[in-house]
């Protein structure tokens, strides 16, 4: 039977597996129970030239797969193993004579006559070996009539002599001698156990020329009837299979058991193992280099594209930064750069800078929409460009900055700039307001940048002043500079509101009853850093900054709280609060605010004091507001009467209740006949018009008495009381005072 190499392995694996299953089916305890005792050491016989199964190495040491198995069996069984390796025939004789206990050999029927066999522990094959340069015999029939070398006592000798009598056998003492006989031409071929003979053949001009045949179980043989030893050996074999020893030994010898003389294919194979990784590395290196190169090229392309788009973007941004998109004029930054450049280039230059705004832009937008807005901006920009001023620019939102030609007067500048434009057939005045800074503004140490910044700031300050005064232009002077203290106050009010403020109350004496029946609420600001701030200072400041309404609302809320308390003492008690002109504008929403409070029915007895100038400022509007307030039961008084130019008869057109004579008339009325006459006639006329009169700023008893005699209704001044805290004022509510006059 001829088996391929894979077939041999499969068979071997199958046998090993079967043995394993057999052994595995026995529990180890059962193995222990069955363990046959043996105390004598074992002597194994074998061939000295039968690699890889058994042979003597150069030092005379027994080595090989079978030797390791025998050692393992002995160790497992607790005995020592001795190996006697000799020529094969002598080895067989040693067992027969009892000098040795066992020997590993192929199991065969003729041998079974002389020996008892253990279970097989391996399978071996035979092959034909022919001279490399002679005839190559590939099967046993081809050997008929040939001289074939065999080992004396070997399985092959037994088989061939029995079955192939026409083959001439040339018996030699060892396996190696067989191969040598072929090599030397003493035999045409030899028949040998495949694995072992292959090893020897590799050293000579001898080749394995047939497929393997005669698959034979490889077993341990003992003398016939030596049952104890046989049982012991079988047990050790099974135990070795079960505990993995057999597998370990087999694994150790596997490369040898599968050994064959390296062929050209093997060399190529080995070479392939060496070369393949090198080639693979080279290929990998090549691929990586190629990929890197591609990536570098791709990245370079990408970077170039990015660079180009960045350059485009930068240019776009530069253009955007340098030119205003709405008008095409230079931008703020470009203007500052240009101004800086001129300042540094011409140290003697005396610039005229104009900060200009088109005040009509908002109304044009609301009338003509966005297109009107854009048209006005563009038309004015074109006009500016045509004027050929050294530098013009649009800062955005209808604000322009201009460097005017040297020596151009503000009047001339205005005349050249302020032209009207046609929008949808209508002649529109752009409403130019200009802030002008003339001359240099630098310290010697100032950089061109700081100088340019200062010039712009001056022009802007002048612009704010012109705007506040409703003028068309204003030239910067140091007096226009805002007071830094005021800036702090405005900042803090914006930040903290009325946090550091409180109200004081100045009682008002009703001269008819001689009792305190009213009080005026006056604001106080105790600033944490700047100390006491006079309302005469910060009220106009807040008005200018458009922040007064916030304060007024707070005062109203505080005052109505206090009023409610005072009314528990005098149900007709009145508290007056001061209202700025701005509080009467639609934006301030004072009427609605007060109506809200009214629904809480806490407003009875609140009176509003409006300065004379405040009343006449927006005549029609104020008239409507005062009328609306009166409808709601809130009366108004004209404060500081006499300081403006309004006549009483004019004021009486407003739905006011009371006139407060300014203290400038009261102060000297007893000495100054003119003042006395004004006071006397005002009281008289007011009464004729149905108004009550309060005199403020009364500082002495004589004046108070004089006013009482003139029929003045109410008196207010230090002589009665300074402005005092709410609690003190509460104590004075309803108090009788007249006997002190
Ligand atoms: P005003 O409404 O005419 O208030 C009277 C001012 O004269 C108060 O000054 C008061 O302290 C002062 N005064 C009263 N009696 C005498 C006196 O016998 N002799 C002298 N020399 N002065 C006297 P104050 O409190 O400094 O207020 C100044 C102005 O500030 C007020 O004038 C008023 O217009 C405004 N004000 C005060 N509080 C408020 C407020 O809450 N809101 C608004 N919008 N303005 C307020
Ligand atoms: Mg007042
Ligand atoms: Mg007053």
């Amino acid at each position: 039977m001829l088996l391929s190499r894979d077939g041999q392995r499969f068979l071997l694996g199958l046998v090993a597996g079967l043995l394993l299953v057999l052994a595995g089916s026995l529990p180890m305890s059962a193995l222990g129970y069955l363990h046959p005792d043996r105390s004598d050491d074992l002597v194994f016989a074998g061939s000295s030239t039968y690699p890889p199964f058994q042979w003597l190495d150069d030092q005379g040491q027994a080595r090989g797969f079978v030797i390791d198995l025998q050692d393992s069996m002995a160790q497992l069984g607790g005995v020592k193993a001795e190996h006697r390796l000799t020529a094969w025939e002598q080895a067989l004789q040693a067992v027969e004579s009892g000098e040795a206990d066992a020997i590993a050999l192929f199991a065969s029927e003729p041998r079974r006559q002389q020996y008892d066999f253990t279970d097989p522990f391996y399978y071996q094959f035979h092959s034909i070996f022919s001279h490399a340069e002679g005839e190559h015999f590939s099967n046993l029939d081809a050997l008929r009539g040939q001289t074939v070398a065999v080992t004396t006592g070997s399985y092959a000798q037994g088989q061939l002599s029995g079955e192939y009598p026409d083959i001439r056998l040339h018996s030699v003492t060892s396996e190696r001698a067989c191969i040598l006989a072929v090599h030397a031409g003493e035999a045409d071929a030899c028949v040998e156990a495949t694995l072992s003979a292959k090893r020897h053949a590799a050293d000579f001009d001898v080749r394995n020329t047939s497929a393997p045949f005669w698959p034979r179980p490889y077993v341990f043989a003992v003398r016939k009837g030596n049952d104890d030893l046989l049982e012991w050996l079988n047990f050790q074999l099974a135990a070795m299979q079960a505990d993995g020893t057999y597998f370990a030994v087999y694994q150790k010898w596997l490369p040898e058991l599968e050994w064959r003389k390296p062929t050209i294919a093997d060399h190529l194979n080995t070479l392939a193992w060496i070369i393949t990784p090198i080639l693979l590395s080279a290929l990998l290196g090549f691929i990586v280099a190629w990929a890197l190169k591609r990536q570098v090229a791709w990245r370079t392309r990408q970077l170039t594209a990015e660079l180009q788009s960045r350059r485009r973007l930068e240019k776009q941004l530069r253009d955007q930064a340098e030119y205003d998109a709405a008008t095409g004029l230079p931008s703020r930054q470009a203007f500052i750069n240009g101004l800086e450049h001129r300042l540094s280039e011409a140290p003697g230059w005396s610039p005229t800078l104009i900060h200009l705004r088109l005040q009509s832009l908002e109304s044009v937008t609301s009338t003509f929409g966005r297109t009107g807005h854009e048209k006005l901006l563009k038309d004015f920009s074109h006009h500016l460009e045509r004027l050929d001023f050294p530098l013009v620019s649009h800062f955005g939102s209808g604000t322009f900055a201009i460097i005017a030609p040297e020596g151009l007067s503000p009047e001339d500048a205005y005349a050249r700039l302020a032209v009207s434009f046609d929008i949808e057939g209508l002649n529109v005045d752009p409403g130019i307001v200009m802030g002008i800074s003339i001359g240099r503004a630098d310290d010697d140490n100032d950089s061109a940048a700081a100088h340019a910044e200062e010039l712009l700031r001056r022009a802007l300050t002048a612009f704010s002043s012109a705007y506040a005064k409703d003028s068309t232009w204003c030239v910067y002077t140091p007096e226009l500079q805002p007071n830094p203290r005021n800036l702090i106050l405005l900042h803090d009010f914006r930040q903290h509101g009325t946090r550091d403020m409180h109200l004081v109350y100045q009682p008002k004496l009703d001269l008819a009853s001689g009792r305190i029946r009213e009080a005026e609420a006056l604001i106080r600001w105790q600033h944490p850093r700047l100390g006491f701030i006079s309302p005469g200072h910060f009220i106009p400041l807040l008005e200018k900054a458009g922040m007064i309404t916030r304060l007024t609302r707070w005062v109203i809320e505080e005052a109505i709280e206090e009023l409610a308390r005072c009314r528990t003492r005098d149900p007709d008690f009145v508290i007056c609060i001061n209202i700025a002109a701005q509080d009467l504008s639609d934006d301030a929403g004072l009427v609605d605010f007060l109506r809200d409070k009214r629904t809480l029915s806490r407003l009875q007895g609140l009176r509003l004091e409006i300065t004379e100038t405040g009343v006449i400022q927006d005549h029609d509007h104020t008239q409507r507001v005062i009328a609306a307030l009166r409808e709601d039961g809130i009366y108004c008084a004209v404060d500081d009467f006499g300081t403006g130019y309004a006549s009483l008869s004019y004021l009486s057109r407003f739905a006011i209740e009371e006139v407060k004579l300014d203290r400038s008339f009261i102060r000297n009325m007893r000495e100054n006949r003119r003042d006395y006459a004004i006071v006397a006639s005002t009281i008289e006329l007011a009464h004729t018009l149905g108004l009550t009169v309060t005199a403020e700023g009364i500082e002495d008893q004589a004046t108070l008495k004089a006013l009482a005699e003139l029929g003045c209704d109410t008196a207010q001044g230090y002589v009665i009381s300074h402005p005092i805290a709410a609690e003190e004022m509460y104590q004075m509510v309803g108090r009788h005072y007249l006997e002190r006059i």
Side-chain angles (χ1 to χ4, degrees):
M1 184 173 67
L2 298 177
L3 272 181
S4 70
R5 195 173 175 77
D6 285 344
Q8 293 171 36
R9 272 202 212 152
F10 171 74
L11 208 61
L12 192 65
L14 195 70
V15 172
L18 271 171
L19 287 171
L20 207 67
V21 169
L22 271 172
S25 65
L26 286 174
M28 286 312 285
S29 58
L31 286 173
Y33 173 72
L34 292 169
H35 196 299
D37 281 340
R38 178 173 184 85
S39 51
D40 297 344
D41 292 340
L42 272 173
V43 179
F44 288 100
S47 167
S48 60
T49 60
Y50 199 52
F53 298 96
Q54 47 196 356
W55 79 98
L56 285 176
D57 66 10
D58 296 344
Q59 278 81 43
Q61 270 307 108
R63 298 192 57 215
F65 172 56
V66 170
I67 301 298
D68 280 359
L69 282 180
Q70 288 164 348
D71 282 342
S72 300
M73 287 161 80
Q75 197 184 353
L76 214 64
V79 296
K80 275 195 179 143
E82 187 191 327
H83 310 286
R84 284 200 197 147
L85 303 187
T86 56
W88 179 244
E89 201 179 10
Q90 285 170 6
L92 289 171
Q93 281 167 7
V95 178
E96 279 163 26
S97 66
E99 284 169 47
D101 298 304
I103 187 166
L105 45 64
F106 297 120
S108 71
E109 278 315 310
R111 280 176 172 171
R112 197 179 283 285
Q113 312 303 317
Q114 287 165 283
Y115 307 104
D116 283 332
F117 300 144
T118 63
D119 296 324
F121 62 88
Y122 194 71
Y123 270 75
Q124 284 234 54
F125 300 81
H126 280 71
S127 295
I128 301 169
F129 291 79
S130 318
H131 197 283
E133 277 145 29
E135 192 179 346
H136 285 191
F137 302 97
S138 59
N139 56 60
L140 289 172
D141 287 331
L143 290 177
R144 292 181 197 278
Q146 304 296 328
T147 304
V148 172
V150 288
T151 309
T152 309
S154 68
Y155 174 79
Q157 186 191 36
Q159 287 297 107
L160 291 177
S161 60
E163 291 180 27
Y164 295 89
D166 44 355
I167 293 177
R168 281 192 300 281
L169 294 179
H170 175 70
S171 298
V172 291
T173 52
S174 71
E175 293 79 1
R176 191 172 175 81
C178 270
I179 298 293
L180 195 58
V182 178
H183 171 77
E186 290 165 12
D188 301 304
C190 73
V191 173
E192 277 291 315
T194 313
L195 281 178
S196 170
K198 265 188 188 174
R199 301 296 297 268
H200 295 306
D203 300 338
F204 301 100
D205 286 339
V206 178
R207 301 283 178 274
N208 172 11
T209 51
S210 75
F213 51 87
W214 294 342
R216 295 307 311 163
Y218 205 39
V219 298
F220 286 108
V222 299
R223 276 188 311 282
K224 263 221 153 322
N226 198 348
D227 293 340
D228 288 347
L229 180 58
L230 190 66
E231 188 190 352
W232 188 91
L233 287 171
N234 267 331
F235 180 86
Q236 303 310 338
L237 275 175
M240 272 186 1
Q241 294 283 357
D243 72 0
T245 308
Y246 178 87
F247 186 68
V249 174
Y250 175 73
Q251 280 296 318
K252 177 185 164 187
W253 286 100
L254 188 61
E256 296 285 326
L257 293 170
E258 294 195 350
W259 185 91
R260 64 195 165 91
K261 188 184 178 193
T263 60
I264 290 176
D266 288 332
H267 287 308
L268 284 178
N269 200 10
T270 313
L271 208 62
W273 275 106
I274 297 164
I275 286 173
T276 305
I278 295 170
L279 280 178
L280 277 177
S281 315
L283 186 68
L284 202 69
F286 174 76
I287 290 171
V288 169
W290 177 79
L292 275 175
K293 213 166 136 186
R294 268 191 66 127
Q295 203 171 351
V296 167
W298 177 74
R299 194 77 189 113
T300 309
R301 273 202 305 281
Q302 211 183 23
L303 282 174
T304 313
E306 252 172 45
L307 212 63
Q308 278 167 353
S309 90
R310 192 165 292 187
R311 280 202 191 115
R312 271 199 301 277
L313 196 70
E314 271 171 12
K315 184 177 172 336
Q316 217 172 320
L317 287 173
R318 232 185 358 259
D319 288 351
Q320 268 171 21
E322 285 174 7
Y323 294 97
D324 164 60
T327 60
L329 290 180
S331 65
R332 180 194 181 90
Q333 194 51 52
F335 182 83
I336 292 172
N337 292 346
L339 180 59
E340 273 179 38
H341 181 71
R342 281 173 169 76
L343 287 168
S344 55
E345 290 293 294
W349 180 48
S350 173
T352 300
L353 214 74
I354 303 177
H355 181 103
L356 176 154
R357 203 177 125 74
L358 307 182
Q359 291 302 112
S360 306
L361 207 57
E362 280 82 15
S363 54
V364 165
T365 312
S366 55
T367 314
F368 301 101
R370 194 72 205 159
T371 48
H373 174 107
E374 281 164 11
K375 184 161 191 311
L376 179 57
L377 266 185
K378 280 196 177 131
D379 287 356
F380 182 75
S381 302
H382 289 152
H383 174 64
L384 266 187
E385 281 175 318
R386 279 196 297 273
L387 288 176
D388 251 356
F389 283 5
L391 188 58
V392 294
S393 87
H394 183 221
F395 280 13
S397 310
T399 300
F400 296 81
I402 299 163
I403 296 178
E406 224 169 311
L408 186 73
S409 70
E411 291 85 351
D412 286 346
Y414 184 74
R416 293 176 69 178
L417 289 166
V419 293
S420 51
F421 298 95
D422 179 88
I423 297 177
E424 295 184 16
L426 285 173
N427 210 20
V428 173
D429 173 12
I432 285 173
V433 177
M434 306 190 301
I436 306 168
S437 154
I438 301 173
R440 297 183 72 84
D442 57 334
D443 256 312
D444 287 347
N445 301 331
D446 277 355
S447 64
H451 190 183
E453 199 60 51
E454 175 59 14
L455 285 176
L456 273 172
R457 193 193 65 76
R458 289 184 177 191
L460 180 64
T461 306
F463 169 84
S464 305
S465 170
Y467 177 73
K469 290 181 191 148
D470 232 354
S471 312
T472 44
W473 52 269
C474 173
V475 177
Y476 173 84
T477 58
E479 291 72 49
L480 297 178
Q481 295 270 54
N483 177 346
R485 234 172 98 91
N486 291 349
L487 294 180
I488 295 174
L489 291 176
L490 289 176
H491 169 266
D492 286 0
F493 183 76
R494 203 173 285 124
Q495 196 100 333
H496 309 300
T498 55
R499 187 190 70 179
D500 302 314
M501 296 181 180
H502 65 277
L503 288 182
V504 290
Y505 296 86
Q506 187 171 35
K508 289 166 79 178
L509 177 66
D510 174 38
L511 289 167
S513 65
R515 290 174 187 276
I516 303 296
R517 310 209 58 190
E518 297 178 19
E520 180 180 5
L522 294 161
I523 188 98
R524 295 290 176 261
W525 187 352
Q526 193 62 40
H527 192 276
R529 275 182 297 142
L530 303 177
F532 176 76
I533 314 290
S534 154
H537 181 76
F538 71 82
I539 296 287
L541 201 64
L542 294 183
E543 275 192 83
K544 223 189 229 173
M547 293 194 276
I548 193 71
T549 308
R550 186 173 170 194
L551 177 108
T552 305
R553 291 185 171 202
W554 180 77
V555 171
I556 292 172
E557 278 170 350
E558 289 285 299
I560 57 176
E561 288 288 325
E562 197 51 39
L563 180 63
R565 206 157 77 97
C566 295
R567 287 208 150 204
T568 57
R569 283 201 149 188
D570 175 0
D572 296 323
F573 197 76
V574 170
I575 287 187
C576 307
I577 58 167
N578 292 282
I579 296 291
Q582 232 173 62
D583 292 322
L584 301 172
S585 71
D586 277 340
D587 290 346
L590 180 70
V591 177
D592 290 340
F593 179 74
L594 286 167
R595 276 182 184 158
D596 266 9
K597 302 288 160 195
R598 250 184 83 76
T599 54
L600 302 169
S601 66
R602 293 154 71 197
L603 270 188
Q604 291 294 323
L606 196 68
R607 186 176 306 149
L608 307 183
E609 295 185 9
I610 310 161
T611 56
E612 185 188 330
T613 40
V615 174
I616 61 176
Q617 211 170 63
D618 188 355
H619 168 273
D620 291 341
H621 180 72
T622 314
Q623 201 171 21
R624 279 198 302 277
V625 173
I626 293 175
L629 289 169
R630 187 173 190 161
E631 262 177 47
D632 290 344
I634 299 167
Y635 296 100
C636 293
V638 176
D639 204 353
D640 304 342
F641 178 73
T643 50
Y645 302 97
S647 66
L648 250 194
S649 54
Y650 171 75
L651 287 176
S652 66
R653 292 185 213 162
F654 295 81
I656 53 169
E657 175 89 352
E658 178 189 329
V659 200
K660 290 186 80 175
L661 265 168
D662 191 68
R663 78 164 182 268
S664 56
F665 302 104
I666 308 298
R667 195 166 42 214
N668 300 317
M669 66 174 274
R670 286 194 307 116
E671 294 88 40
N672 189 316
R673 292 173 59 83
R674 183 181 161 272
D675 286 352
Y676 184 86
I678 291 173
V679 172
S681 58
T682 305
I683 294 171
E684 200 179 328
L685 184 58
H687 286 164
T688 316
L689 294 170
L691 306 169
T692 58
V693 180
T694 297
E696 51 180 2
I698 309 163
E699 293 186 353
D700 57 88
Q701 292 288 336
T703 308
L704 179 62
K705 199 168 175 195
L707 284 164
E709 283 164 7
L710 283 173
C712 182
D713 304 286
T714 315
Q716 185 181 3
Y718 294 166
V719 70
I720 302 152
S721 168
H722 276 75
I724 47 178
E727 187 53 42
E728 256 183 278
M729 189 269 292
Y730 174 71
Q731 300 303 330
M732 288 178 78
V733 170
R735 187 182 290 179
H736 212 271
Y737 189 86
L738 258 191
E739 60 269 356
R740 288 179 57 195
I741 297 173

